[in-house]
């Protein structure tokens, strides 16, 4: 509106100046101080076009002098980009027929093969001879237009990524939870139309049972600007639920409104595959356990001399077979434990217990393994007399996994240190070794099932890749957690955090 008012006032001023017979030279000097071209454009009934008046800058813009422009406007049109010319002619025709304000942005030739963006606007009036006279202003807007086009291109690319992403995306208002924008991948499994979905708020598709997780996500957004990833369920239009994995970030728009960008991945198929895999593992494990128990027992009897003294070569083969049968039995037990933990079928019986006796028991249970590897387990001379609410045998199992890993990855003659530290709200049980530590590239997978830093067929150290995953599941079901940090001075430091109960 301000630009339109400027052009109208400018047109009125030029008309007054010309009416008062002020010389064209003096007018040109005044208008030459403006950054753009001040002009009058006249279209006659017979189709001729001229610039009765134009400021000196017209020569830089169109390559013609004000005097030449006053004779014929055709050379100016010849410098307009061919792709823009028809639109300019249509817009001039419309302005002439309706006597409405004319405005256009177009390209004008600048040099041999270059064009620059120009914006023009003018106010028309009909003269006595039915010709149309426009009073207007032209300015170079090349940099602004290039920036606008680049921004539009970027927005178009981002929009294409947004729309065609196979993962659901949503933009929500922080204060109201209302959906502002979303893509087809989010709508598809929900059963809503786009308009129906946009009328919903976040809580319309989120079961109330997930309120604690949602509050934790909001707290994370306020403190870190991000949340997740975490898994929950969404409510479809028909009321059924399906699993999703969410993560997102906080953003502030130019108007000050805070919004949340979220990635919402439908993990229905992944859950199905995980369930099939777990069922398969459980079935195979159960089917293997009975014959393996028989094989292991028979090999143990043979190795112990129950069938008489064996030849040396046969004795060596039987010993090797028994060791491998024991390793296979451990693998099957780990598989079954993992399956039970994930399915919630392993009972966790929590009770208040002194921690020190449990730690002594786990050290005693793994003593033979540490001697076999020539690694000493060091414990504090005096353990704190703290009580924890745990399932004793399960805590021992989780700690045994951490200790056996530490022993396995320790050089011979080194020690593994088991310690306890009391914090304000937690009890920390720490297992520290002097091995090579954990490769940073592997840390994200550290507690995943079947993860091993050396997964090659030629790895030197045996293992199922389930020990840490089992320890994590056990501790989580007891209200605690398992973590890792690099040990000061080298090596690995795994720890278990348990809630500190009021004594």
């Amino acid at each position: 509106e301000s630009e339109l008012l400027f052009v109208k006032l400018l047109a009125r001023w030029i008309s007054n100046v010309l009416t008062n017979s002020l010389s064209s030279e003096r007018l040109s000097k005044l208008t030459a101080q403006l950054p753009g071209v001040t002009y009058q454009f006249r279209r006659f009934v017979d189709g001729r076009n001229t610039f009765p008046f134009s400021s000196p800058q017209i020569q830089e813009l169109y390559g013609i002098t004000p005097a030449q422009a006053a004779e014929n406007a055709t050379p100016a049109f010849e410098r307009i980009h061919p792709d823009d010319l028809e639109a300019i002619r249509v817009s001039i025709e419309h302005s002439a027929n309706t006597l409405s304000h004319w405005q256009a942005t177009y390209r004008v030739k600048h040099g041999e093969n270059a064009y620059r963006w120009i914006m023009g606007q003018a106010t028309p009036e009909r003269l006595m001879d039915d010709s149309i006279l426009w009073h207007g202003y032209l300015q170079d807007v090349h940099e602004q237009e290039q920036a606008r086009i680049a921004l539009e291109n970027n927005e178009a690319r981002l929009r294409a990524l947004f729309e065609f992403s196979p993962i659901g995306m949503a933009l929500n208002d922080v204060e109201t939870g209302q959906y502002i924008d979303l893509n087809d991948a989010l709508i598809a499994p929900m059963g809503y139309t786009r308009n129906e979905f946009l009328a919903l708020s976040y809580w319309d598709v989120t079961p109330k049972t997930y309120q604690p997780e949602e509050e934790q996500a909001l707290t994370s957004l306020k403190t870190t600007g991000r949340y997740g990833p975490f898994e929950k369920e969404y409510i479809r239009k028909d009321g059924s639920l399906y699993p999703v994995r969410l993560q997102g970030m906080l953003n502030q728009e130019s108007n000050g409104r805070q919004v949340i960008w979220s990635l919402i991945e439908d993990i229905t198929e992944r859950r199905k595959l995980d369930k099939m895999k777990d069922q398969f593992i459980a079935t195979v494990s159960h089917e293997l356990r009975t014959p393996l128990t028989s094989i292991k027992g028979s090999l143990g009897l043979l190795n112990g001399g129950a069938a008489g003294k064996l030849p040396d070569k046969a004795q060596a083969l039987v010993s090797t077979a028994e060791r491998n049968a024991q390793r296979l039995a451990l693998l099957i037990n780990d598989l079954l434990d993992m399956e039970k933990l994930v399915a919630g079928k392993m009972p966790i019986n929590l009770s208040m217990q002194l921690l020190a006796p449990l730690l002594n028991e786990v050290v005693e249970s793994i003593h033979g393994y540490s001697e076999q590897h020539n690694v000493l387990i060091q414990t504090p001379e005096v353990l704190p007399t703290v009580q924890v609410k745990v399932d004793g045998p399960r805590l021992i199992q989780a700690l045994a996994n951490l200790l056996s890993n530490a022993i396995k990855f320790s050089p011979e003659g080194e020690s593994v240190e088991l310690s306890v530290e009391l914090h304000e709200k937690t009890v920390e049980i720490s297992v520290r070794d002097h091995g090579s530590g954990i490769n940073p590239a592997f840390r994200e997978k550290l507690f995943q099932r079947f993860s091993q830093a050396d997964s090659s067929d030629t790895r030197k150290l045996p293992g199922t890749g389930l020990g840490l995953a089992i320890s994590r599941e056990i501790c989580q079901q007891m209200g605690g957690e398992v973590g890792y940090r690099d040990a000061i001075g080298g090596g690995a430091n795994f720890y278990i955090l348990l809630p500190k109960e009021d004594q």
Side-chain angles (χ1 to χ4, degrees), residues 355-464:
L355 180 60
L358 297 175
L359 298 183
N360 290 329
E361 186 175 341
V362 74
V363 170
E364 182 62 30
S365 71
I366 209 158
H367 180 69
Y369 188 69
S370 66
E371 279 194 336
Q372 179 186 336
H373 286 264
N374 192 22
V375 173
L376 178 67
I377 299 177
Q378 288 186 345
T379 58
E381 289 186 11
V382 179
L383 288 167
T385 57
V386 64
Q387 285 191 324
V388 286
K389 192 174 184 179
V390 295
D391 183 317
R394 294 301 167 209
L395 178 61
I396 289 171
Q397 182 181 0
L399 275 169
N401 284 333
L402 299 188
L403 282 168
S404 62
N405 269 359
I407 292 166
K408 182 167 62 174
F409 289 100
S410 291
E412 282 195 30
E414 281 288 358
S415 62
V416 169
E417 293 140 32
L418 177 66
S419 61
V420 178
E421 188 174 347
L422 304 182
H423 302 292
E424 185 180 352
K425 295 183 178 180
T426 58
V427 177
E428 180 180 312
I429 307 167
S430 175
V431 176
R432 186 245 203 271
D433 66 50
H434 295 269
S436 58
I438 304 296
N439 187 327
F442 179 68
R443 287 178 192 171
E444 286 187 7
K445 302 177 181 178
L446 197 55
F447 295 98
Q448 293 178 9
R449 285 179 280 174
F450 303 105
S451 293
Q452 291 177 321
D454 179 7
S455 57
S456 66
D457 292 337
T458 57
R459 65 176 182 268
K460 296 178 181 178
L461 298 171
T464 65

Side-chain angles (χ1 to χ4, degrees), residues 54-76:
S54 58
S55 58
Q57 298 95 321
I58 197 170
Q59 187 163 3
E60 184 181 347
L61 181 64
Y62 284 134
I64 54 178
T65 65
Q68 291 170 330
E71 291 294 324
N72 186 6
T74 301

Side-chain angles (χ1 to χ4, degrees), residues 241-300:
L241 303 175
Y242 74 100
V244 292
R245 184 175 187 267
L246 299 98
Q247 56 187 315
M249 62 180 291
L250 190 66
N251 192 34
Q252 184 164 311
E253 297 187 328
S254 57
N255 61 3
R257 177 173 64 172
Q258 286 195 317
V259 296
I260 305 172
W261 277 107
S262 297
L263 296 177
I264 304 105
E265 182 183 2
D266 181 351
I267 57 172
T268 304
E269 291 304 315
R270 195 192 79 186
R271 287 276 182 90
K272 286 180 181 176
L273 290 173
D274 285 346
K275 188 174 181 180
M276 288 171 62
K277 182 175 68 176
D278 291 340
Q279 288 175 342
F280 172 76
I281 289 171
T283 301
V284 171
S285 300
H286 281 293
E287 293 299 321
L288 285 174
R289 176 175 268 183
T290 301
L292 181 61
T293 301
S294 176
I295 292 169
K296 188 160 68 75
S298 299
L299 288 171

Side-chain angles (χ1 to χ4, degrees), residues 188-221:
M190 299 290 285
Y192 291 99
T193 66
R194 178 175 289 270
N195 289 337
E196 286 174 338
F197 207 119
L198 287 171
L200 302 174
S201 79
Y202 193 73
W203 285 109
D204 290 326
V205 295
T206 301
K208 295 298 182 184
T209 52
Y210 289 97
Q211 189 164 349
E213 289 87 344
E214 296 299 335
E215 288 175 354
Q216 185 178 349
L218 284 173
T219 301
S220 178
L221 277 171

Side-chain angles (χ1 to χ4, degrees), residues 61 65 73 75 90 96 101 146 157-158 197 225 261 317 324 367 393 400:
L61 181 64
T65 65
V90 169
H101 181 72
Q146 280 192 318
R157 283 193 288 267
L158 289 173
F197 207 119
W261 277 107
L317 289 171
N324 282 287
H367 180 69

Side-chain angles (χ1 to χ4, degrees), residues 320-376:
T320 301
E322 186 185 15
R323 282 197 305 273
N324 282 287
Q326 288 172 344
R327 284 179 58 189
L328 187 55
L330 287 173
L331 169 60
I332 290 172
N333 287 333
D334 278 353
L335 287 170
L336 290 172
D337 281 349
M338 194 73 237
E339 187 265 336
K340 286 177 182 176
L341 282 164
V342 171
K345 295 176 182 177
M346 180 178 283
I348 300 290
N349 302 310
L350 301 178
S351 63
M352 292 296 294
Q353 301 179 55
L354 283 169
L355 180 60
L358 297 175
L359 298 183
N360 290 329
E361 186 175 341
V362 74
V363 170
E364 182 62 30
S365 71
I366 209 158
H367 180 69
Y369 188 69
S370 66
E371 279 194 336
Q372 179 186 336
H373 286 264
N374 192 22
V375 173
L376 178 67

Side-chain angles (χ1 to χ4, degrees), residues 162-192:
F162 179 77
E163 291 296 346
F164 293 108
S165 168
I167 295 176
M169 295 184 185
L171 181 66
N172 290 84
D173 185 289
V174 172
E175 189 174 342
T176 64
Q178 201 74 28
Y179 284 93
I180 301 167
D181 202 357
L182 41 89
N183 67 351
D184 289 341
L186 177 58
I187 302 170
M190 299 290 285
Y192 291 99

